Each structure stands twice: as structure tokens, then as C-alpha cells.
Amino acid sequence: MPVDESRSEPAVRARAGIEDVALAAGVSVATVSRAIRGLPNVAVATRERVLAVAAELRYQADPAAARLAAGSTRTVAVGVPDPATWFFAKVVGGIERKLLAAGYDLLLSGIPDAAHRSRFLYMNAPGGRRCDASILVNVALVPEEAGEAVADGHRLVTVGFRYEGFSSVTIDNVTAASRAVEHLISLGHRRIGLMGMVMDNAMNFVVPPMRRQGYLRAHEAAGLQVDPGIESVANSTSDASRVIGRTMLDSPDRPSAVFAMSDEQAFGVMLAAQDLGLNVPEDLSVVGVDDHDQSELIGLTTVRQGVDELGAMAAELLLEAIEGGTVRHVEVPTELILRSSTAPRRS
Amino acid sequence: MPVDESRSEPAVRARAGIEDVALAAGVSVATVSRAIRGLPNVAVATRERVLAVAAELRYQADPAAARLAAGSTRTVAVGVPDPATWFFAKVVGGIERKLLAAGYDLLLSGIPDAAHRSRFLYMNAPGGRRCDASILVNVALVPEEAGEAVADGHRLVTVGFRYEGFSSVTIDNVTAASRAVEHLISLGHRRIGLMGMVMDNAMNFVVPPMRRQGYLRAHEAAGLQVDPGIESVANSTSDASRVIGRTMLDSPDRPSAVFAMSDEQAFGVMLAAQDLGLNVPEDLSVVGVDDHDQSELIGLTTVRQGVDELGAMAAELLLEAIEGGTVRHVEVPTELILRSSTAPRRS
DNA sequence: TTGAAAGCGCTACCAG
DNA sequence: CTGGTAGCGCTTTCAA
């Protein structure tokens, strides 16, 4: 299968430039440029000839030169906290699919902290000329940044949260969470733990409070008190939640159910339960949010959000924004999916 | 949380150009360029002044212009079959981490088929001037492409398979697979099904045959016959493997164990077993390859490969290649991890 | 150590 | 409908 061919010459085979095409087609470079980009004012015959020659020579405009001259980059920058995470990978997948079809390049950036966030914004601002627009996934902006971005005329679409001035795609986080908790309450649970996402003040201060609000709202609606003692936060990974979950569950008055802000966190809670010899759902009911790929096999009850769809929709809004379309906010629906991780409270 | 500020002027705030910096610092643009890029032949005092002014003006070189003039792009293209898949997301995560640190941009492309593969190669060839180098993850090349890439002086590193002429990072697929199957055999299993990855002739014709070879080798070493009747292939998703798995398992002489070429495929087999009312591991042992994030919770026995590490190593080799380093092949070790999805064959 | 000027390869304007 | 040509904003000789 592999191929051998001892790298003899690192000589980069010279590539045809627009001038070569012009020469070969017997027209000017201006005409080649117009013909290839499908601009008007080119005779059909001429266009065909140019296209044929270009194909023959495998001509491809130098993107850097085209950008410099035209100003547009045909590139979209996408920023996510961590590209290796299930949720973000799915979103990026959805974006990529649309962008590939539209002929845009996708520049992917990890945004682990506030410094990278501001760097991302600056680099990808219209003046930066690196991309035509950008998408920020679950990366909240502080007001100054948002204001500056708007002032800069930044073409930005956000997913996970919403800013006036930019298109966005979100879910109704409060409702999603309260729906999950209501389900638990309807099963007779009265002590319901919360496994929350850490609200690093610089990065993720939008989604967690909303989901927490849903948790509170469901309690309130049922006339139940919440116990801050069984409310914890962890990084939204399975491992971190497992560790934190262990301390929440390792107590005589442990909750009989836990609402986790994401499926991965729910997995962590299940692992914690397992570590302590507790059975799900007999000893502990668990519900998450996402409908992760493995949630069915694991039997996790969850509130489903179409993550891939989130990304695809974001890409669509972005393309609209590039075309000069209006700002739109899209809210993707969610759905409670019942599986085997939740059961009536044991009397 | 959101910010309002009715987008008054889409006016892109003019950004400082190199000339502005030169003016403000009282030097020429050439000096600014040298100073900022840390080139020699700039007086310390001058450099400091320029840097100060540049920071003040938030100057940032226009990447397109810099590319056009210098030829180098500070960009790396990464091609994966499907960016939304667990394995690829992890690899990309590892790459991204290293690249971010090295100050390179990452251009992500999905390569769903052979046409996109050849497009990727052409666009990202040195002559294309879109990137300085590229990484191809589990995308095999046909000989002509590989030869052309070498001839073009393509700076490429591959992960998952190996071509002479390019750096690569792989695992020993044959050994990984045979280790998994040996484990099954050691538990007394004699009829071991194979859930293989589909070998689309254009895309993925390297890894699956090697893992299959490991499967065969383990049988052979134990003096066992394989039964082609319990050898299937499916897309390497959980869902596809579930469907195919059902037909493999829905038979009186079904295997007592299955080796799946990836953990996600193993999950599919477990789902299939569940669909048919079979218990794992009592009625069926299952082993996979990867050590997926959810494999511990699911209790899947598997052959672990450090997927993030695969990506990080690829990025390192790439950076070396850009610096003009030598071609290297790295083989990342694997490890059998015993969990609860495998058990001795029931007599 | 510095500056002037010639491109990098293309697009866009304007004249024909 | 077509061609000439002036840049796009930077890097990189080459001279000073």
C-alpha cells in the first residue's frame, strides 16, 4: 500500500498562474479572471475556451493573491472552547458540512481562556482580513468585547447564547433543564442533586445559569425546596464530574436523583455511583442534557438537542450574514427522551 | 447578558497598516517589518520603539499580504473523513493544541470521498499556497496521488497509515487486533465474529485489512478456523454496526464473542445484542479498539490507543517537516484494557 | 543598521 | 465584450 519514491527533489513543480492561462487561451488576464469567477461580460465562447485551458493547466487562483486584491477571503473562522469534546465536535461537523458545500474554508481555533477569546475576536475582526465571518460556539463575550465587535462590523454568529446585533442559534436552556427536573419530580423524587458546569467567569457564564434556573423553576413549580448542599459544579467532562459526584453521593442523605447539565456530566455521575456501589436507577436516577451518541447504549434519560443541527444552522445564518442578510435568532427545539437511568423513587 | 447596540454603521474601523506604524515610529516600513518579525539587523532601541508603537496601534500584519509577499502561510491544513466522529475529533484536538501553541492556523477539511481527497491534495499542494503543510488522518492515497504528492514536494504527514517519503504516526494495527482476539481465545471462545470497517475502495483501504489480518493471525496461532459466515463489515458508526450486528447475532449458531474494529462499532454490536435480548458478557463477549471516552462506563474491553497523542505527535512531526527536518515514522503503543464486556465462554 | 523600491499574483477600474 | 494597468499590504533584495 505505501508508495516509495525517495524524495529526490523538493522542487515545487511550478504551477500555472493566471498569466499562463491568459497566454494559452489568447486573452488577457482580466478576461481570465472574469471568466473563471463567472462574472458577466465574457462571451460564451471565450469563457468556454478559458475554462478549458484552465482545467487543462489545473489552474487555481492563489488564494493569498486573490484575497489581497479582492478583500474577500472565502474563509470562516470557528472558535470553540475545546475541539476534542463531543459537543463541539458535533457542532463543528455540522458547520463544516455546510461550509464545504458552499466552498468556504474553515479555520478552527480552540479558545481555552479569555486571552484566546480576545485574540480570536481581534484576529478575525473585519480589519484582520483573515476571514469573512466567524462563529463562536459556547464562548460568551464580556460586554466590552461584544460592543467592540458590533462597532467593528464584525460578521459573527454565536451558538449557545445570544447577542443582539448578531445572528445566533440556541436552545431554550431554562425549559430544557426544567423539563428534565420535572420528570424526576414526577417520578417521586424530592431530593434532586444538581451537577452543574463550572462557570468560569471568563468563558462560560451563560448556559450554566440558565440550566440552573430551570432546575430551580421546576422545584418551585412543585413547591419543593432545593438543598444547596447537593448542588455541585465540575468541568463538563465525565472524569471531573465523577470525582465531584462521588463526594455528593457519598453521604447518608444523598439525593435520590441527579440532574446533570450535560450527558457527559451525567456519565460521570453514573461512574461515581458505580464507584460507590450504587445502582442506577434503583438507588439513583440520573438525567442529562444532549442525547450524546452513547446515551442510548448507556440508557441515559436525557433532554435531546440536535447538536449537529445547531452547527448546520449556524453555518446557514453565517452564509446569510455574509450575503448581507438580516440578523436572525433561531431556537432549536429539545425533547425529553426516557431511558433506563430514571425510575420512581424507592419508597 | 446580551448586549444591545443597534448596528449603526457597518463601517469597518480602519486598522493600522504597516505604514501607520512606520510613520508613528519614525522609521521605514522595512524596519517595522524586520522589527516585528524578530529579524536581525535592527537596533535594540529601534525594535523596542517599533514594538511599542505596534502594540499601541494594535497592529497586525494582513495575513494575505504577508503570504503573498513571503510565500509562507503559517497555516496547516488537516483533512479527516468526518470531523464529527469521536476518533477524528480527538485527533484534531491533539493537533490543534500543538498548532495553537506554535502559532499556526488550522484549516479543517472533511474528506468524505475520493473526489474531495484529490481536491484536498491539489489545493494544499505547495503550489497552491494555501498552507505550509498538511495532515491527513485515516485518508489513504492511491499510488498516483502519493507519487504526485512526493513529486510536488508536498509537506504532508499522515496518521493511521504510512507512506515512504512522508512522516507518519500509526499504531501496530495487526498486533492490536490480534491481541484483542487472543484475549477472546484465552477465555475459551472458539467462534469469534468480526465486525469490520467497510473498506470503501477509495478511502479506507489500509487500516481495516490490517486489523483483519490480526484477527486471522490470532486464529491461526491458536490453530482455529475462521468462519467467513460471521465476518461482517459496516460503516464505523455505532448505528450501522448495530444493524449489521443484528443479522450476525440473530442465528442459532451465532458467535460467542465478537471482535469489533473500533469501540464505536463494538457499541453497535452491544446494542444489537440488547435488541436481541442477549446479555453481554453472559451470552456474548465483545471487544473493541480505541478506548473511547465512554468505554469505561459501558464496561467495554478494548485495545487502547492514545488518540489525542496520535494527533499531537502528528503536529510535532509536521512542525519538524516545516523546519526541514527528516521524515520520521512514529508508532504509538497500544494496550489491552480488560473490562466487563468479556467473560469466559459459557460451557 | 536603515531605507527605497521592486515585486508577490491577482482583482477591479476604466478606456476602448 | 475585452485589455491595460494601478493597486491590495506586505517582504525582501540592494544600496546607502
Coordinates of all heavy atoms in Angstrom, one line a residue, chain A residues 2-3 5 7 13 15 58 60 62-63 68 89 96 105-108 110 122-123 125 127-130 148 150 152 154 162-165 242 267 292 294 296-298, chain B residues 2-3 5 7 13 15 58 60 62-63 68 89 96 105-108 110 122-123 125 127-130 148 150 152 154 162-165 242 267 271 292 294 296 298:
Chain A
P2 N 1.8 1.4 0.9 CA 2.6 2.7 0.8 C 3.3 2.7 -0.5 O 3.5 1.8 -1.2 CB 3.5 2.6 2.0 CG 3.0 1.5 2.9 CD 2.3 0.6 2.0
V3 N 3.8 3.9 -0.8 CA 4.5 4.1 -2.0 C 5.9 4.6 -1.7 O 6.1 5.3 -0.8 CB 3.7 5.3 -2.8 CG1 4.7 6.0 -3.7 CG2 2.7 4.7 -3.7
E5 N 9.5 6.3 -3.1 CA 10.0 7.2 -4.2 C 10.9 8.2 -3.4 O 10.5 9.3 -3.1 CB 8.8 8.0 -4.8 CG 9.1 8.6 -6.1 CD 7.9 8.6 -7.0 OE1 7.1 7.7 -7.0 OE2 7.8 9.6 -7.8
R7 N 12.3 10.8 -2.0 CA 12.2 12.3 -2.2 C 13.4 12.9 -2.9 O 14.3 13.4 -2.2 CB 11.9 12.9 -0.9 CG 11.9 14.4 -0.9 CD 11.5 15.0 0.4 NE 10.0 14.8 0.6 CZ 9.4 15.4 1.6 NH1 10.0 16.1 2.5 NH2 8.1 15.2 1.6
R13 N 6.9 21.8 -8.1 CA 6.6 22.0 -9.5 C 5.9 23.3 -9.8 O 4.9 23.5 -9.1 CB 5.7 20.8 -10.0 CG 6.2 20.1 -11.2 CD 5.5 18.8 -11.5 NE 4.2 18.7 -10.9 CZ 3.6 17.5 -10.8 NH1 4.2 16.5 -11.3 NH2 2.4 17.4 -10.3
R15 N 3.5 26.0 -10.8 CA 2.1 25.9 -11.1 C 1.7 27.0 -12.1 O 2.3 28.1 -12.1 CB 1.4 26.1 -9.8 CG 0.0 25.5 -9.8 CD -0.1 24.8 -8.5 NE -1.4 24.3 -8.1 CZ -1.6 23.5 -7.1 NH1 -0.6 23.1 -6.4 NH2 -2.8 23.1 -6.8
R58 N -4.7 22.9 -14.9 CA -5.1 22.8 -13.5 C -4.9 24.1 -12.7 O -4.3 24.1 -11.6 CB -4.2 21.7 -12.8 CG -4.4 20.3 -13.5 CD -3.8 19.2 -12.7 NE -4.7 18.9 -11.5 CZ -4.3 18.1 -10.5 NH1 -3.2 17.5 -10.5 NH2 -5.1 17.9 -9.5
Q60 N -5.4 27.3 -10.6 CA -6.2 27.6 -9.4 C -5.6 28.9 -8.9 O -4.4 29.0 -8.6 CB -5.8 26.5 -8.4 CG -6.6 26.5 -7.1 CD -7.6 25.5 -7.0 OE1 -7.6 24.5 -7.7 NE2 -8.7 25.7 -6.2
D62 N -4.2 31.7 -6.7 CA -3.5 31.8 -5.5 C -4.5 32.5 -4.5 O -4.8 33.7 -4.7 CB -2.3 32.6 -5.6 CG -1.5 32.7 -4.3 OD1 -2.1 32.8 -3.3 OD2 -0.3 32.8 -4.4
P63 N -4.9 31.8 -3.4 CA -5.8 32.4 -2.5 C -5.3 33.7 -1.9 O -6.0 34.7 -1.7 CB -6.1 31.3 -1.5 CG -5.0 30.3 -1.7 CD -4.5 30.5 -3.0
L68 N -5.9 39.4 -1.2 CA -5.3 40.7 -1.1 C -5.9 41.6 -2.1 O -6.3 42.8 -1.8 CB -3.8 40.6 -1.4 CG -3.0 41.8 -1.3 CD1 -3.1 42.4 0.1 CD2 -1.5 41.6 -1.6
A89 N -17.3 18.9 18.7 CA -17.0 18.2 17.5 C -18.3 18.0 16.6 O -18.2 18.2 15.4 CB -16.4 16.8 17.8
E96 N -19.0 22.4 9.3 CA -18.1 22.0 8.2 C -18.9 21.5 7.0 O -18.6 21.9 5.8 CB -17.2 20.9 8.7 CG -15.9 20.7 7.9 CD -16.2 19.8 6.7 OE1 -17.1 18.9 6.8 OE2 -15.5 19.9 5.7
D105 N -13.6 27.9 3.3 CA -12.6 27.2 4.1 C -13.0 27.4 5.6 O -13.6 28.5 5.9 CB -11.2 27.8 3.9 CG -10.7 27.2 2.6 OD1 -11.2 26.2 2.1 OD2 -9.7 27.9 2.1
L106 N -12.6 26.5 6.4 CA -13.0 26.6 7.8 C -11.7 26.6 8.7 O -10.9 25.7 8.7 CB -13.9 25.4 8.2 CG -14.1 24.8 9.6 CD1 -13.7 25.8 10.7 CD2 -15.5 24.4 9.7
L107 N -11.5 27.7 9.4 CA -10.3 27.9 10.2 C -10.8 27.6 11.6 O -11.7 28.2 12.2 CB -9.9 29.4 10.1 CG -8.5 29.8 10.0 CD1 -7.7 28.8 9.2 CD2 -8.4 31.2 9.4
L108 N -10.2 26.5 12.2 CA -10.7 26.1 13.5 C -9.7 26.6 14.6 O -8.5 26.4 14.6 CB -10.7 24.6 13.6 CG -11.2 24.0 14.9 CD1 -12.6 24.3 15.2 CD2 -11.0 22.5 14.8
G110 N -9.2 26.7 18.9 CA -9.5 26.4 20.3 C -9.5 27.6 21.1 O -8.5 28.4 21.0
Y122 N -10.0 39.6 17.9 CA -9.2 40.6 17.2 C -8.7 40.1 15.9 O -8.8 40.8 14.8 CB -8.0 41.0 18.1 CG -7.2 42.1 17.5 CD1 -7.8 43.4 17.4 CD2 -6.0 42.0 16.9 CE1 -7.2 44.5 16.8 CE2 -5.3 43.0 16.3 CZ -5.9 44.2 16.3 OH -5.2 45.3 15.6
M123 N -8.2 38.9 15.9 CA -7.6 38.4 14.6 C -8.7 38.3 13.5 O -8.5 38.4 12.4 CB -7.1 37.0 14.9 CG -6.0 36.9 15.9 SD -4.4 37.2 15.2 CE -4.3 35.9 14.0
A125 N -11.6 39.9 13.3 CA -12.4 41.1 13.1 C -12.2 41.5 11.6 O -11.3 41.1 10.9 CB -11.9 42.3 14.0
G127 N -11.3 44.0 10.1 CA -10.0 44.6 9.7 C -8.8 43.6 9.6 O -7.8 43.9 9.0
G128 N -9.0 42.5 10.3 CA -7.9 41.5 10.3 C -7.8 40.7 9.0 O -6.7 40.2 8.7
R129 N -8.8 40.7 8.2 CA -8.7 40.2 6.9 C -8.3 38.7 6.8 O -7.7 38.2 5.9 CB -7.8 41.0 6.0 CG -8.2 42.4 5.9 CD -7.3 43.5 5.5 NE -7.3 43.9 4.1 CZ -7.6 43.2 3.0 NH1 -8.0 42.0 3.1 NH2 -7.5 43.7 1.8
R130 N -8.6 38.0 7.9 CA -8.3 36.6 7.9 C -9.5 35.8 7.4 O -9.4 34.6 6.9 CB -7.9 36.1 9.3 CG -6.5 36.2 9.5 CD -6.0 35.7 10.8 NE -7.0 34.9 11.5 CZ -6.7 33.7 12.2 NH1 -5.5 33.3 12.2 NH2 -7.7 33.1 12.8
E148 N -17.5 46.1 21.1 CA -16.5 46.4 20.1 C -16.7 45.6 18.8 O -16.5 46.2 17.7 CB -15.1 46.0 20.7 CG -14.0 46.6 20.0 CD -12.7 46.4 20.8 OE1 -12.8 46.7 22.1 OE2 -11.7 46.1 20.3
V150 N -19.5 44.6 17.6 CA -20.6 45.2 16.8 C -20.1 46.5 16.2 O -20.3 46.7 15.0 CB -21.8 45.6 17.8 CG1 -22.8 46.3 17.0 CG2 -22.4 44.3 18.4
D152 N -17.2 47.2 15.3 CA -16.2 46.8 14.2 C -17.0 46.3 12.9 O -16.3 46.1 11.9 CB -15.3 45.7 14.6 CG -14.2 46.3 15.5 OD1 -14.1 47.5 15.6 OD2 -13.4 45.5 16.0
H154 N -18.2 43.4 12.9 CA -17.9 42.0 12.9 C -19.0 41.2 12.4 O -20.1 41.3 12.8 CB -17.5 41.6 14.3 CG -16.5 40.5 14.4 ND1 -16.5 39.4 13.5 CD2 -15.4 40.4 15.2 CE1 -15.5 38.7 13.9 NE2 -14.8 39.2 14.9
R162 N -26.9 34.3 23.0 CA -27.5 35.2 22.1 C -27.1 36.7 22.4 O -27.2 37.1 23.5 CB -29.0 35.1 22.2 CG -29.8 36.0 21.5 CD -31.2 35.7 21.6 NE -32.0 36.8 21.1 CZ -33.3 36.7 20.7 NH1 -33.9 35.5 20.9 NH2 -33.9 37.7 20.2
Y163 N -26.6 37.4 21.4 CA -26.4 38.8 21.5 C -27.2 39.6 20.5 O -27.2 39.1 19.3 CB -24.9 39.1 21.2 CG -24.0 38.6 22.3 CD1 -23.3 37.4 22.2 CD2 -23.9 39.3 23.5 CE1 -22.5 37.0 23.2 CE2 -23.1 38.9 24.6 CZ -22.4 37.7 24.4 OH -21.6 37.2 25.4
E164 N -27.8 40.6 20.9 CA -28.4 41.5 19.9 C -27.4 42.0 18.9 O -26.3 42.3 19.4 CB -29.2 42.6 20.6 CG -30.3 42.2 21.5 CD -31.2 41.1 20.8 OE1 -31.5 41.2 19.6 OE2 -31.6 40.1 21.5
G165 N -27.7 42.0 17.7 CA -26.7 42.5 16.7 C -26.1 41.4 15.9 O -25.5 41.6 14.8
R242 N -17.2 12.8 37.8 CA -17.2 11.6 38.5 C -16.6 11.9 39.9 O -17.1 11.5 40.9 CB -16.3 10.6 37.8 CG -16.0 9.3 38.5 CD -15.0 8.5 37.8 NE -15.0 7.1 38.1 CZ -14.5 6.2 37.4 NH1 -13.8 6.5 36.3 NH2 -14.5 4.9 37.7
F267 N -22.7 11.0 32.7 CA -21.9 9.8 32.7 C -21.0 9.7 33.9 O -20.8 8.7 34.5 CB -21.1 9.7 31.4 CG -21.9 9.6 30.1 CD1 -21.3 10.1 28.9 CD2 -23.2 9.1 30.1 CE1 -22.1 10.0 27.7 CE2 -23.9 9.0 29.0 CZ -23.4 9.5 27.8
H292 N -26.3 12.4 23.8 CA -24.9 12.0 23.4 C -25.0 10.7 22.6 O -26.0 9.9 22.8 CB -24.1 11.8 24.6 CG -22.6 11.5 24.4 ND1 -22.2 10.3 23.9 CD2 -21.5 12.3 24.6 CE1 -20.9 10.4 23.8 NE2 -20.4 11.6 24.3
Q294 N -23.6 8.0 22.8 CA -23.6 6.8 23.6 C -24.7 6.7 24.6 O -24.8 5.7 25.4 CB -22.2 6.6 24.3 CG -21.2 5.8 23.4 CD -20.9 6.6 22.2 OE1 -20.3 7.7 22.2 NE2 -21.2 6.0 21.0
E296 N -27.9 6.2 24.4 CA -28.8 5.1 24.2 C -28.3 3.8 24.8 O -28.9 3.2 25.6 CB -29.2 4.9 22.7 CG -30.2 3.7 22.6 CD -30.7 3.5 21.2 OE1 -30.2 4.2 20.3 OE2 -31.5 2.6 21.0
L297 N -27.1 3.5 24.4 CA -26.5 2.3 24.9 C -26.3 2.3 26.5 O -26.6 1.3 27.1 CB -25.1 2.1 24.3 CG -24.3 0.8 24.8 CD1 -25.1 -0.4 24.6 CD2 -22.9 0.8 24.1
I298 N -26.0 3.5 27.0 CA -25.8 3.6 28.4 C -27.2 3.7 29.1 O -27.3 3.4 30.3 CB -25.0 4.9 28.7 CG1 -23.5 4.6 28.3 CG2 -25.0 5.3 30.1 CD1 -22.6 5.8 28.2
Chain B
P2 N -26.9 39.5 27.1 CA -26.6 40.0 25.7 C -26.4 41.5 25.8 O -26.6 42.2 26.8 CB -27.9 39.7 25.0 CG -28.6 38.7 25.8 CD -28.2 39.0 27.2
V3 N -25.9 42.0 24.7 CA -25.6 43.4 24.6 C -26.4 44.0 23.5 O -26.5 43.4 22.4 CB -24.1 43.6 24.3 CG1 -23.8 44.9 23.5 CG2 -23.3 43.6 25.6
E5 N -26.9 47.4 20.9 CA -26.2 48.5 20.3 C -26.6 48.5 18.8 O -25.8 47.9 18.0 CB -24.7 48.3 20.4 CG -23.9 49.5 20.2 CD -22.7 49.5 21.1 OE1 -22.7 49.0 22.2 OE2 -21.7 50.0 20.7
R7 N -26.8 48.1 15.5 CA -25.7 48.2 14.5 C -25.9 49.4 13.6 O -26.5 49.4 12.6 CB -25.8 46.9 13.6 CG -24.9 46.9 12.4 CD -25.0 45.6 11.7 NE -24.2 44.6 12.5 CZ -23.9 43.4 12.1 NH1 -24.4 43.0 11.0 NH2 -23.2 42.6 12.8
R13 N -13.9 49.7 11.1 CA -13.0 50.7 11.6 C -11.6 50.4 11.0 O -11.1 49.3 11.0 CB -12.8 50.5 13.1 CG -13.0 51.8 13.8 CD -13.1 51.7 15.3 NE -12.7 50.4 15.8 CZ -13.0 50.0 17.1 NH1 -13.7 50.7 17.8 NH2 -12.5 48.8 17.5
R15 N -8.0 49.9 10.2 CA -7.0 49.3 11.0 C -5.6 49.8 10.7 O -5.4 50.2 9.5 CB -7.0 47.8 10.8 CG -6.5 47.0 11.9 CD -7.5 45.9 12.2 NE -7.0 44.9 13.0 CZ -7.8 43.9 13.4 NH1 -9.1 44.0 13.0 NH2 -7.4 43.0 14.2
R58 N -2.3 48.4 17.9 CA -2.8 47.0 17.8 C -2.6 46.6 16.3 O -3.4 46.0 15.7 CB -4.3 47.0 18.0 CG -4.7 47.5 19.4 CD -6.1 47.2 19.8 NE -6.3 45.8 20.1 CZ -7.4 45.2 20.2 NH1 -8.5 45.8 20.2 NH2 -7.5 43.9 20.5
Q60 N -1.4 44.5 13.3 CA -1.3 43.1 13.0 C -1.2 43.0 11.5 O -2.0 43.5 10.7 CB -2.7 42.4 13.4 CG -2.7 41.0 13.3 CD -2.7 40.3 14.6 OE1 -3.0 40.9 15.6 NE2 -2.2 39.1 14.6
D62 N -1.5 42.0 7.8 CA -2.5 41.4 7.0 C -2.0 40.1 6.5 O -1.0 40.0 5.8 CB -2.8 42.3 5.8 CG -3.9 41.7 4.9 OD1 -3.9 40.5 4.8 OD2 -4.6 42.4 4.3
P63 N -2.6 39.0 6.9 CA -2.1 37.7 6.6 C -2.0 37.4 5.1 O -1.1 36.8 4.6 CB -3.0 36.7 7.2 CG -4.2 37.5 7.6 CD -3.8 38.9 7.7
L68 N 1.4 36.6 0.5 CA 1.7 36.8 -0.9 C 3.1 37.2 -1.1 O 3.8 36.8 -1.9 CB 0.8 38.0 -1.4 CG 0.9 38.3 -2.9 CD1 0.7 37.0 -3.7 CD2 -0.1 39.4 -3.3
A89 N -12.3 13.7 16.0 CA -12.3 14.9 16.9 C -11.1 14.9 17.9 O -10.5 15.9 18.1 CB -13.6 15.0 17.6
E96 N -4.6 20.5 17.1 CA -5.0 21.9 17.4 C -4.2 22.4 18.6 O -3.6 23.5 18.5 CB -6.5 22.0 17.6 CG -7.0 23.4 17.5 CD -6.9 24.2 18.8 OE1 -6.7 23.6 19.9 OE2 -6.8 25.4 18.7
D105 N -2.2 28.5 12.1 CA -3.7 28.3 11.9 C -4.0 26.9 11.4 O -3.2 26.3 10.7 CB -4.2 29.4 10.9 CG -4.3 30.7 11.4 OD1 -4.3 30.9 12.7 OD2 -4.3 31.7 10.7
L106 N -5.2 26.5 11.7 CA -5.6 25.1 11.3 C -6.8 25.2 10.4 O -7.9 25.7 10.8 CB -5.8 24.3 12.6 CG -6.7 23.1 12.7 CD1 -6.9 22.4 11.4 CD2 -6.1 22.1 13.6
L107 N -6.6 24.8 9.2 CA -7.7 24.7 8.2 C -8.3 23.3 8.2 O -7.5 22.4 7.9 CB -7.1 25.1 6.9 CG -7.7 26.0 5.9 CD1 -8.4 27.1 6.5 CD2 -6.7 26.5 4.9
L108 N -9.5 23.2 8.6 CA -10.1 21.8 8.7 C -10.9 21.5 7.5 O -11.8 22.2 7.1 CB -10.9 21.8 10.0 CG -11.6 20.5 10.3 CD1 -10.6 19.4 10.6 CD2 -12.6 20.6 11.4
G110 N -13.3 18.3 5.7 CA -13.9 17.0 5.7 C -13.6 16.4 4.4 O -13.7 17.0 3.4
Y122 N -4.8 18.6 -4.1 CA -4.4 19.7 -5.1 C -4.3 21.0 -4.4 O -3.4 21.8 -4.6 CB -5.3 19.6 -6.2 CG -4.9 20.6 -7.3 CD1 -3.7 20.3 -8.0 CD2 -5.6 21.7 -7.6 CE1 -3.3 21.2 -9.0 CE2 -5.2 22.6 -8.5 CZ -4.0 22.4 -9.2 OH -3.5 23.2 -10.2
M123 N -5.4 21.4 -3.7 CA -5.5 22.7 -3.1 C -4.3 22.9 -2.1 O -3.8 24.0 -2.0 CB -6.8 22.8 -2.3 CG -8.0 22.6 -3.1 SD -8.6 24.1 -3.9 CE -8.9 25.1 -2.4
A125 N -1.4 21.5 -2.1 CA 0.0 21.2 -2.5 C 0.8 22.5 -2.4 O 0.2 23.6 -2.3 CB -0.1 20.8 -4.0
G127 N 2.3 24.3 -4.4 CA 2.0 25.3 -5.4 C 0.7 26.0 -5.1 O 0.5 27.1 -5.6
G128 N -0.2 25.4 -4.3 CA -1.5 26.0 -4.1 C -1.4 27.2 -3.1 O -2.3 28.0 -3.0
R129 N -0.3 27.2 -2.3 CA -0.1 28.3 -1.4 C -1.2 28.6 -0.5 O -1.4 29.8 -0.1 CB 0.2 29.6 -2.3 CG 1.3 29.3 -3.3 CD 1.6 30.3 -4.4 NE 2.5 31.4 -4.3 CZ 2.7 32.1 -3.2 NH1 2.1 31.8 -2.1 NH2 3.6 33.1 -3.3
R130 N -1.9 27.6 -0.1 CA -2.9 27.8 0.9 C -2.4 27.5 2.3 O -2.9 28.0 3.3 CB -4.1 26.9 0.7 CG -5.1 27.5 -0.2 CD -6.4 26.7 -0.4 NE -6.5 25.6 0.5 CZ -7.6 25.2 1.1 NH1 -8.7 25.9 0.9 NH2 -7.7 24.1 1.9
E148 N 2.5 11.7 -6.9 CA 2.4 13.1 -7.3 C 2.7 14.0 -6.1 O 3.4 15.0 -6.3 CB 1.0 13.4 -7.8 CG 0.9 14.6 -8.6 CD -0.4 14.7 -9.4 OE1 -0.8 13.6 -9.9 OE2 -1.0 15.8 -9.4
V150 N 4.6 13.4 -3.6 CA 6.0 13.4 -3.3 C 6.7 14.2 -4.3 O 7.6 15.1 -4.0 CB 6.6 11.9 -3.3 CG1 8.1 12.0 -3.2 CG2 5.9 11.1 -2.3
D152 N 5.6 16.6 -6.0 CA 5.3 18.1 -5.8 C 6.1 18.7 -4.6 O 6.0 19.9 -4.4 CB 3.8 18.3 -5.5 CG 3.0 18.2 -6.8 OD1 3.6 18.1 -7.8 OD2 1.8 18.2 -6.7
H154 N 5.3 18.0 -1.6 CA 4.2 18.2 -0.6 C 4.7 17.9 0.8 O 5.3 16.9 1.0 CB 3.1 17.2 -0.9 CG 1.7 17.8 -0.6 ND1 1.5 18.5 0.6 CD2 0.5 17.7 -1.2 CE1 0.2 18.8 0.6 NE2 -0.4 18.3 -0.5
R162 N 1.0 4.7 6.5 CA 2.3 5.2 6.3 C 2.8 5.1 4.9 O 2.5 4.1 4.2 CB 3.2 4.2 7.2 CG 4.6 4.3 7.0 CD 5.3 3.3 7.9 NE 6.7 3.3 7.6 CZ 7.7 2.9 8.4 NH1 7.3 2.4 9.6 NH2 8.9 2.9 8.0
Y163 N 3.3 6.2 4.4 CA 3.9 6.2 3.1 C 5.4 6.6 3.2 O 5.7 7.5 4.0 CB 3.2 7.3 2.2 CG 1.8 6.9 1.9 CD1 0.8 7.5 2.5 CD2 1.6 6.0 0.9 CE1 -0.5 7.1 2.2 CE2 0.3 5.7 0.5 CZ -0.8 6.2 1.2 OH -2.0 5.8 0.9
E164 N 6.2 5.9 2.5 CA 7.6 6.4 2.5 C 7.6 7.7 1.8 O 6.9 8.0 0.9 CB 8.4 5.4 1.7 CG 8.5 4.0 2.3 CD 8.8 4.0 3.8 OE1 9.6 4.8 4.2 OE2 8.1 3.2 4.5
G165 N 8.4 8.6 2.4 CA 8.5 9.9 1.8 C 7.9 11.0 2.7 O 8.2 12.1 2.7
R242 N -24.8 -1.7 14.5 CA -25.9 -2.3 15.2 C -26.8 -3.1 14.3 O -27.2 -4.2 14.5 CB -26.8 -1.1 15.9 CG -28.0 -1.6 16.6 CD -28.8 -0.4 17.0 NE -29.7 -0.7 18.1 CZ -30.3 0.2 18.8 NH1 -30.0 1.5 18.7 NH2 -31.2 -0.1 19.7
F267 N -19.8 -0.8 20.3 CA -21.1 -0.3 20.9 C -22.3 -0.7 20.1 O -23.3 -1.1 20.6 CB -21.1 1.3 21.0 CG -20.0 1.8 21.9 CD1 -19.5 3.1 21.7 CD2 -19.4 1.1 22.9 CE1 -18.5 3.7 22.5 CE2 -18.4 1.6 23.7 CZ -18.0 2.9 23.5
L271 N -25.4 -3.0 21.3 CA -26.8 -2.5 21.0 C -27.6 -3.6 20.3 O -28.7 -3.9 20.7 CB -26.8 -1.2 20.2 CG -27.2 0.1 20.7 CD1 -27.6 0.2 22.1 CD2 -26.2 1.2 20.3
H292 N -12.5 4.4 23.8 CA -13.4 5.6 23.7 C -13.7 6.1 25.1 O -13.6 5.4 26.1 CB -14.6 5.0 23.0 CG -15.6 6.1 22.6 ND1 -16.4 6.7 23.6 CD2 -16.0 6.5 21.4 CE1 -17.2 7.5 22.9 NE2 -17.0 7.5 21.6
Q294 N -16.3 6.8 26.5 CA -17.4 6.2 27.3 C -17.2 4.7 27.5 O -18.0 4.0 28.0 CB -18.7 6.4 26.5 CG -19.4 7.7 27.0 CD -18.7 8.9 26.6 OE1 -18.4 9.1 25.4 NE2 -18.2 9.7 27.6
E296 N -15.2 3.1 29.5 CA -15.2 2.6 30.9 C -16.6 2.4 31.4 O -16.9 1.4 32.0 CB -14.4 3.6 31.7 CG -14.3 3.1 33.1 CD -13.5 4.0 34.1 OE1 -13.0 5.1 33.6 OE2 -13.4 3.7 35.3
I298 N -19.3 2.0 29.9 CA -20.0 0.9 29.3 C -19.4 -0.4 29.6 O -20.0 -1.5 29.5 CB -20.0 1.2 27.7 CG1 -20.9 2.4 27.4 CG2 -20.4 0.0 26.9 CD1 -20.8 2.9 26.0

